[in-house]
Amino acid sequence: MRAFEAADSRRDGIDPVGTLEKLLYRTREGWTPLPAWARSLIELGDRVARFDSRDARLVVALALPTRAFAAAFIAASVVSTVFEMDAPDADLEDHFELLASLAPGTAITHHRGNSIQQGRLVGVDERDGVRRVGIETRRMTYYLPLEMCGEIQVITHPGELRMTTRQLIRAPEFLARALPRVDAAAFSATTRMDAILVASVDPLHEEIVTEHFAVGLDADRREGNLQTIIRAKRFAGQNAPHRSEVVAAGGESVPAAAGQASPRVVIFDGASGFNNWRSRWPQANWIVLLDRSSPSTQAGADTINYGHSTRLSDSDALTDIDLPPSVEAVSYLERAS
Amino acid sequence: MSPSMLAAADLYEVASAARTSRVRVADPEVQRFSQSVTALLRRLGDDAADAHWAPVVRRLRKIRWELATTPLPINHPALALSESAAFVAGLLRGCDRIYPAHAPAARAISEQLEALATSESDPLSTAIIRLLRGDEPAENQAVNTAEAERGLGQAETGRLASLPLDPVDAPAEDLLGGLPETIGATTAVVLRHSRHAGAVEHRLAAAGHDVTVVSPAQLSQPAVYGRAVVIGAMAWFPSHVLAAPKAFRMDVVQYAWIRDEVPPSSIFAGSAERAPVLPDLDRPPGAAPGSGDSPADPAELLPPADWATISARSAPGEEPGLARSEQVEAYLLLLASDEAVHLEADEGSRAYVVALGAEKELRQVPTRSIEPGTFLVTREGGEGDYIPAIADSLLGERGSGLRAAQRRWKAMLQDLVSAVGLRAVVGRLEAAGSSRATEMNARRWVSDASIRTQDFQDFQAIMSIIGLEEEAQALWEKMALIDQAHLRAGQRVRALLNREILEADTRELERRGWMDYDVAEIEGEGALRVARVEARAPETVRVSARRTRRPFPVERDLWQG
């Protein structure tokens, strides 16, 4: 079992709260840094995203005064942390060789600047002693040398390819300043299911897609939404790169992409989603959010308490996270399957 | 609809800063009545269920419950004690002859009730008024979780009620954090039931206090207040009232003669220990253990619902003539509109509900998941469920012919099930080419609630075994028209409720517990009634399918919540 990595991350000079720390929200007095409860949820998301074990999953349950925005903050933190921990291959030579090894016709995205388009690999071409990866898009065929091959990313679940060009990031400055340590273009151009949110879709959509947030001051301020970071497939355009998915808590089935995924973290926003779908992702870490005012909260707490009674061991995942006194929390490790 | 980021921040601010205290109100008059009710119930024992006593007992329990939970003068017209005194006296008139052993106790309680009906005593609202005036000891300003309490004697409350009233004290500035004073100055009075909300608001307004009376369900919403005064024992309230406080200052006002058990603050085993928000109450202040002045059990005061009698009220006398195939298992729900409704309990049954909490939305949910606090969409007036009724209206003149065709094949299938049994029918369906013939699906196909199968192959098999194979295609197309009309009816309902509820001010709906919404665009279908589910029978009941989804009135004495 790999040890819990929060301490390691601090040793490496990575401050978990640094993620999203520049986000502002609008108060009666104007734009203000996020309140302490939101920062603590972001830190929790970072902490849980770093837990990795083949044998155990980390379960963290919170009883909150309101469920509003909790899943959204945690998801943003999980997605950005996992990207930082496991960014697309920084070693261009390895990435070039990976692309070269794939069959012609493999679906890819090609991003440059703030635009992205989909296409297919056409193979490796060598001219004048320089190897180039060939890609075919709607407009033309490109041959990109090793130093530019980072612009190409393989699409994991290609679905129906649409050879169109679209804006890669709707609010590029907002994203770049909200996640200063992340390559915004690579983050936005690649697809991987790092987090799944099991939630009531409409309220979550409002929290994630509405521009509740900003970075920067006065004239330099850029407003944006958490979808820019969370990149939930359900709220993104068709075939858009994504890094998470939202599953309807009361739905009768799970979208295929989410059902086949092995996310690092599943965030259950409410008891009904937790009780309906928790067995679907047994390898993932779980964060369970219960609204103290919801009638179904006790049913969720009962499930958590049963899990706690059969736990592998206690967990220190919540140590040093400054959750507000109105939040009750518990964490433990469960056998992963 | 989700609360804004600012509203969420306010909720955390309030929940972290809230201070809770308890005020215990001593009132010998109401206490004596409660003790007499308890004594009579013990004396009656099993006789309490007798037809002679049952209506008396129900009415006495209702009166006690309302007196314990409603901050109004005892003789307030809303409580209708004069009418109740006459009702009880009338029922007990023959008691000397029928139950001579119980007659003295019955006479005594009847006289007590008559005296109460003329009492101007107003202990609970007097206590609220004192609190709102800031007339309280210094220790009541104590910190979070510390109990600060006192007794208010009858004479004292009577005297204070006549004093000139000061303006409401807003919580101290340092408590408010980033919230504006406009929120700090707001006061909510939380009643266990909303039946007398209007009267209580008027009573306190007449005393110079502009308060909002809310139900516990309303406290699950994002609104925050400067102060909330909760009336009654905390054992009667959902745990979130104190565990997720919506006011900087929470005052629990309750009779001192009622014991209280405060729900635990923690819901997770293994979480860090949390101090109780308030201690439990074992005995009245000043009463020594074993002094004989034993407090009332809050659970005993809770009015029970007579589920069997309520269920039978839905269609008296209808049961015997019904065929077995028309019987379904159903949940029985009590609604805030003084009605009850049966909802089918089978796995696929769903109903529209409106969520008015932090997640304001309209959704279709399995009937098994509908719990107290949910707002259920039902039909007011007319026969049967609202979706088929609206669908028929959309079908126009074709409707009656299509429904006749539907009834025809359903009746033939129901007859076959009655004749050979469900298992044999499944076997015949399989033999006829149905790939989804299971007992559960067959039960659904027999039901009037299902219009047609998902797949034509299964429909064709049904038609084959009931002798309508030649008409299978034509009937399939007719059922498709009904199916489409149901879909459109659902869309109409969604559009209407979205406009009327989700995009509008719902405070009146939340306070009152129910409202009707006219379906103006669909002539002759009456209204949709959205009503809060107040209680749910612990077990399902077997009723005629025709009785489901049709709210029926319930007498207040059968259900007193």
Side-chain angles (χ1 to χ4, degrees):
Chain A
M1 185 185 305
R2 210 165 100 196
F4 180 65
E5 295 186 355
D8 294 342
S9 69
R10 289 200 192 92
R11 223 176 20 246
D12 294 344
I14 299 170
D15 174 9
V17 192
T19 304
L20 305 167
E21 69 175 351
K22 293 189 168 59
L23 279 189
L24 308 172
Y25 78 109
R26 201 194 299 267
T27 67
R28 297 175 183 88
E29 290 76 39
W31 291 98
T32 307
L34 291 183
W37 60 269
R39 294 200 304 274
S40 67
L41 294 175
I42 289 168
E43 187 172 1
L44 174 69
D46 174 276
R47 191 77 68 88
V48 176
R50 290 176 190 281
F51 181 83
D52 185 16
S53 165
R54 198 175 299 166
D55 307 316
R57 74 169 150 267
L58 173 60
V59 180
V60 175
L62 304 181
L64 304 155
T66 173
R67 53 143 300 283
F69 288 93
F73 282 127
I74 291 171
S77 176
V78 167
V79 162
S80 58
T81 295
V82 176
F83 184 83
E84 275 190 73
M85 289 164 56
D86 193 9
D89 209 335
D91 185 331
L92 288 178
E93 285 186 19
D94 285 353
H95 189 57
F96 188 95
E97 291 308 323
L98 169 72
L99 295 172
S101 70
L102 297 172
T106 299
I108 54 95
T109 59
H110 174 232
H111 70 268
R112 184 169 290 173
N114 192 28
S115 72
I116 185 166
Q117 56 190 327
Q118 295 181 346
R120 295 188 185 282
L121 285 175
V122 293
V124 174
D125 179 69
E126 185 168 345
R127 288 180 201 168
D128 306 326
V130 179
R131 293 170 77 215
R132 291 179 168 83
V133 178
I135 57 170
E136 181 184 34
T137 68
R138 191 169 64 101
R139 285 189 204 154
M140 62 177 77
T141 301
Y142 301 81
Y143 287 90
L144 302 179
L146 182 144
E147 58 271 23
M148 294 173 74
C149 73
E151 296 174 359
I152 305 168
Q153 296 294 331
V154 177
I155 299 176
T156 317
H157 300 289
E160 186 188 341
L161 270 187
R162 295 200 309 176
M163 302 292 210
T164 55
T165 302
R166 68 174 81 182
Q167 193 181 32
L168 175 59
I169 314 170
R170 217 170 64 81
E173 285 188 59
F174 171 80
L175 178 61
R177 286 151 72 179
L179 299 178
R181 295 196 300 266
V182 161
D183 175 349
F187 177 79
S188 304
T190 52
T191 284
R192 195 176 56 199
M193 200 69 88
D194 291 330
I196 285 175
L197 297 97
V198 182
S200 189
V201 175
D202 290 347
L204 193 67
H205 177 268
E206 210 280 326
E207 290 162 14
I208 290 181
V209 172
T210 304
E211 294 194 341
H212 290 286
F213 302 96
V215 288
L217 296 172
D218 304 327
D220 197 30
R221 186 170 52 245
R222 295 291 179 272
E223 295 182 22
N225 60 24
L226 292 180
Q227 170 66 359
T228 309
I229 299 161
I230 296 170
R231 302 193 75 88
K233 184 173 189 296
R234 182 185 283 261
F235 305 148
Q238 196 180 9
N239 287 330
H242 52 268
R243 309 204 69 82
S244 63
E245 179 56 306
V246 174
V247 172
E252 290 179 352
S253 61
V254 170
Q260 293 157 12
S262 301
R264 179 66 73 100
V265 178
V266 180
I267 302 154
F268 297 97
D269 186 5
S272 63
F274 179 53
N275 284 343
N276 285 345
W277 296 115
R278 69 184 185 282
S279 58
R280 193 65 188 245
W281 298 279
Q283 297 296 330
N285 297 320
W286 295 348
I287 300 177
V288 185
L289 305 173
L290 303 177
D291 185 329
R292 286 300 299 244
S293 301
S294 166
S296 61
T297 285
Q298 191 55 53
D302 290 345
T303 309
I304 286 293
N305 290 339
Y306 177 75
H308 184 263
S309 71
T310 57
R311 67 194 181 280
L312 271 181
S313 66
D314 289 327
S315 154
D316 59 355
L318 296 166
T319 305
D320 297 332
I321 296 182
D322 198 11
L323 290 164
S326 54
V327 174
E328 186 185 358
V330 67
S331 66
Y332 55 89
L333 298 183
E334 270 187 346
R335 197 172 298 285
S337 57
Chain B
M1 202 175 83
S2 176
S4 67
M5 181 59 197
L6 180 59
D10 287 350
L11 285 166
Y12 276 94
E13 183 98 44
V14 169
S16 293
R19 299 175 183 187
T20 304
S21 66
R22 177 192 273 139
V23 173
R24 299 194 293 191
V25 181
D27 182 78
E29 205 174 6
V30 182
Q31 182 180 13
R32 265 198 306 274
F33 175 70
S34 174
Q35 287 169 336
S36 299
V37 174
T38 302
L40 180 66
L41 288 172
R42 287 190 184 137
R43 166 182 279 278
L44 291 174
D46 292 343
D47 289 345
D50 183 276
H52 176 79
W53 288 106
V56 175
V57 166
R58 282 198 291 257
R59 180 61 63 95
L60 292 176
R61 295 190 72 133
K62 175 198 154 196
I63 295 165
R64 178 167 70 169
W65 172 243
E66 292 198 339
L67 289 176
T69 53
T70 314
L72 285 174
I74 293 174
N75 65 354
H76 194 284
L79 299 177
L81 252 60
S82 294
E83 184 269 329
S84 287
F87 174 80
V88 170
L91 289 172
L92 293 178
R93 205 158 285 143
C95 190
D96 283 333
R97 213 174 48 255
I98 309 168
Y99 286 100
H102 300 321
R107 257 196 311 276
I109 206 164
S110 186
E111 285 164 12
Q112 230 178 339
L113 192 51
E114 278 169 20
L116 271 179
T118 59
S119 171
E120 293 180 356
S121 175
D122 189 6
L124 291 176
S125 45
T126 306
I128 297 172
I129 291 163
R130 282 189 60 171
L131 267 177
L132 298 186
R133 285 171 41 192
D135 178 17
E136 54 199 322
E139 65 265 32
N140 227 9
Q141 307 288 354
V143 279
N144 212 0
T145 74
E147 182 191 21
E149 58 186 29
R150 65 204 162 116
L152 294 177
Q154 169 75 30
E156 190 185 10
T157 54
R159 180 177 59 78
L160 283 164
S162 64
L163 292 174
L165 297 168
D166 299 330
V168 174
D169 268 8
E173 186 67 27
D174 63 327
L175 267 182
L176 287 178
L179 267 68
E181 284 182 38
T182 47
I183 291 179
T186 55
T187 298
V189 171
V190 188
L191 299 185
R192 172 62 170 73
H193 56 84
S194 52
R195 194 168 317 283
H196 302 307
V200 172
E201 258 179 19
H202 284 130
R203 162 74 183 106
L204 295 172
H209 297 288
D210 185 16
V211 304
T212 306
V213 175
V214 298
S215 64
Q218 280 174 271
L219 275 196
S220 66
Q221 299 198 26
V224 293
Y225 305 89
R227 184 170 204 161
V229 185
V230 185
I231 310 300
M234 290 316 300
W236 296 332
F237 287 85
S239 64
H240 72 78
V241 171
L242 292 187
K246 294 292 164 54
F248 283 106
R249 177 104 183 242
M250 303 286 295
D251 294 295
V252 177
V253 173
Q254 63 184 98
Y255 279 120
W257 47 269
I258 302 172
R259 202 172 65 224
D260 199 8
E261 290 154 16
V262 179
S265 304
S266 294
I267 58 170
F268 295 140
S271 65
E273 199 172 322
R274 301 167 82 81
V277 178
L278 282 176
D280 290 345
L281 263 187
D282 290 329
R283 65 182 64 85
S291 63
D293 197 7
S294 61
D297 182 346
E300 192 182 326
L301 265 65
L302 267 177
D306 187 345
W307 293 107
T309 311
I310 291 169
S311 184
R313 289 282 197 275
S314 65
E318 188 188 296
E319 286 298 316
L322 291 173
R324 186 162 180 76
S325 59
E326 292 174 296
Q327 300 282 305
V328 294
E329 287 295 325
Y331 300 116
L332 176 57
L333 307 175
L334 281 168
L335 306 176
S337 49
D338 284 348
E339 293 172 305
V341 66
H342 291 107
L343 294 179
E344 308 87 344
D346 63 274
E347 196 58 28
S349 288
R350 298 168 80 82
Y352 277 107
V353 300
V354 177
L356 290 179
E359 306 159 18
K360 197 170 171 182
E361 60 179 328
L362 172 71
R363 55 190 178 211
Q364 241 189 337
V365 299
T367 52
R368 67 179 146 73
S369 71
I370 298 176
E371 296 286 347
T374 309
F375 282 81
L376 177 71
V377 182
T378 64
R379 182 181 176 193
E380 161 56 14
E383 288 292 313
D385 188 18
Y386 53 91
I387 293 283
I390 297 170
D392 285 354
S393 178
L394 294 172
L395 287 167
E397 290 176 357
R398 294 175 303 171
S400 58
L402 293 171
R403 289 294 186 191
Q406 184 188 16
R407 279 195 297 273
R408 181 173 159 239
W409 75 261
K410 287 281 181 186
M412 292 171 79
L413 184 58
Q414 284 161 4
D415 287 347
L416 185 63
V417 170
S418 296
V420 302
L422 196 65
R423 188 172 294 181
V425 166
V426 170
R428 291 187 190 186
L429 286 168
E430 284 170 342
S434 169
S435 57
R436 294 173 184 77
T438 61
E439 288 199 22
M440 195 171 86
N441 280 339
R443 205 173 288 121
R444 184 176 302 134
W445 297 336
V446 167
S447 157
D448 289 331
S450 116
I451 297 165
R452 62 175 189 174
T453 59
Q454 280 184 4
D455 192 275
F456 178 67
Q457 200 181 4
D458 299 310
F459 191 76
Q460 201 170 24
I462 294 171
M463 296 302 111
S464 166
I465 66 167
I466 60 175
L468 295 178
E469 194 166 13
E470 297 295 313
E471 299 176 48
Q473 187 61 42
L475 279 169
W476 175 256
E477 285 162 13
K478 285 180 178 175
M479 296 307 104
L481 292 174
I482 298 177
D483 209 19
Q484 286 158 12
H486 273 238
L487 277 174
R488 283 167 54 212
Q491 288 162 0
R492 292 279 178 114
V493 169
R494 290 190 77 88
L496 171 79
L497 294 179
N498 269 315
R499 189 176 65 241
E500 297 284 346
I501 300 178
L502 303 186
E503 295 166 11
D505 187 346
T506 54
R507 276 176 296 187
E508 185 57 21
L509 168 63
E510 292 161 44
R511 194 183 72 160
R512 188 178 175 208
W514 64 277
M515 283 189 81
D516 288 341
Y517 298 90
D518 283 333
V519 190
E521 55 269 71
I522 306 165
E523 197 180 338
E525 299 313 326
L528 292 180
R529 174 162 291 176
V530 178
R532 187 171 53 234
V533 175
E534 297 287 356
R536 173 175 159 150
E539 291 173 3
T540 57
V541 288
R542 202 153 175 81
V543 295
S544 155
R546 273 175 281 172
R547 283 166 53 189
T548 61
R549 298 181 186 253
R550 293 169 58 178
F552 54 93
V554 176
E555 299 147 44
R556 289 283 293 114
D557 285 0
L558 287 179
W559 160 53
Q560 305 155 16

